[in-house]
């Protein structure tokens, strides 16, 4: 149900034509006052269209990912000393559902405490397996690859999982884990 900007313009134009009354645009009197009134109406309509667009986006999200089947997977990074993150690949029930190659800017944002929504999708209730594959440059500039898995039971509510990539100073190695949010 995603709509491109080319497809939205005719829709927004149609909404504007339905909402703006014809007589309001053809008022007689001082042209300066008429111009101000039209400008105010246009601004008011812009605000209404923005609110409508927001409401449609929320409705679309609710329809595509109902809470009873929704699963969301997030990525957090607490590294920098022992790992330079490069890519993350995510599998749900042995099917690749997300893959991401990180830019320097994205890595800096994650290292400053940011969190990425890596995947949002639908799953039936029951048992599922999530596997994350993390690649990057490890200690001594050696290629680093590690995987982590989590088997979890999807209930009737929204499931939220977090892939944690952390440095461990005890063994000078990064670690990858997946945890379920309560």
């Amino acid at each position: 149900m995603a709509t491109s900007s080319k497809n939205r313009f005719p829709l927004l134009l149609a909404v504007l034509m339905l909402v703006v009354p014809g007589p309001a645009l053809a008022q007689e009197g001082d042209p300066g006052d008429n111009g101000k009134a039209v400008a105010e109406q246009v601004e008011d309509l812009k605000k209404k269209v923005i609110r409508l667009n927001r409401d449609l986006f929320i409705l679309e999200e609710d329809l595509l990912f109902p809470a009873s089947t929704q699963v969301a997977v997030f990525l957090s990074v607490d590294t920098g000393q022992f790992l330079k993150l490069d890519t993350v690949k995510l599998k749900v029930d042995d099917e690749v559902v997300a893959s991401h190659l990180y830019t320097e800017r994205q890595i800096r944002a994650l290292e400053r405490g940011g969190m990425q929504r890596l995947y949002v999708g639908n799953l039936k209730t029951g048992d599922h397996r999530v596997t994350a594959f993390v690649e990057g440059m490890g200690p001594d500039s050696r290629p680093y690859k590690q995987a982590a898995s989590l088997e979890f039971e999807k209930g009737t509510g929204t499931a939220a999982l977090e892939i944690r990539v952390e440095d461990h100073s005890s063994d000078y190695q990064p670690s990858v884990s997946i945890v379920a949010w309560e």
Side-chain angles (χ1 to χ4, degrees):
M1 185 163 183
T3 309
S4 71
S5 60
K6 288 182 181 178
N7 294 339
R8 284 189 179 187
F9 181 74
L11 174 67
L12 294 177
L13 184 60
V15 168
L16 289 175
M17 291 175 69
L18 291 174
V19 175
V20 175
L25 296 176
Q27 293 174 350
E28 304 253 346
D30 184 18
D33 289 342
N34 196 19
K36 288 179 187 176
V38 170
E40 288 174 4
Q41 287 178 344
V42 168
E43 283 301 314
D44 187 44
L45 287 175
K46 284 181 185 178
K47 290 176 185 176
K48 287 179 182 178
V49 168
I50 289 170
R51 277 195 305 266
L52 178 65
N53 194 26
R54 183 199 68 213
D55 292 344
L56 286 173
F57 176 77
I58 291 169
L59 179 61
E60 182 180 19
E61 286 286 314
D62 288 344
L63 289 173
L64 290 176
F65 307 111
S68 62
T69 63
Q70 185 178 30
V71 63
V73 180
F74 299 90
L75 174 76
S76 67
V77 175
D78 184 16
T79 64
Q81 188 174 359
F82 303 125
L83 175 68
K84 183 181 177 297
L85 185 64
D86 187 34
T87 63
V88 173
K89 183 169 64 170
L90 180 69
K91 284 186 175 184
V92 176
D93 296 331
D94 294 324
E95 180 183 335
V96 176
V97 294
S99 182
H100 194 82
L101 177 64
Y102 292 91
T103 64
E104 287 294 324
R105 185 175 180 191
Q106 291 170 328
I107 292 168
R108 284 193 307 271
L110 288 168
E111 288 174 349
R112 286 193 314 260
M115 200 170 246
Q116 178 194 10
R117 183 172 71 173
L118 191 61
Y119 172 71
V120 175
N122 297 317
L123 285 179
K124 297 178 188 174
T125 57
D127 294 332
H128 297 279
R129 181 179 185 89
V130 174
T131 306
F133 301 90
V134 175
E135 296 183 29
M137 295 303 288
D140 301 323
S141 296
R142 286 190 234 147
Y144 175 83
K145 295 180 183 181
Q146 188 173 359
S149 292
L150 174 70
E151 291 188 15
F152 72 101
E153 184 176 340
K154 170 73 175 80
T156 56
T158 299
L161 307 173
E162 179 183 355
I163 302 169
R164 292 182 181 165
V165 182
E166 303 171 299
D167 276 348
H168 283 284
S169 57
S170 60
D171 59 357
Y172 302 105
Q173 291 290 322
S175 69
V176 178
S177 61
I178 303 175
V179 296
W181 290 355
E182 297 298 320

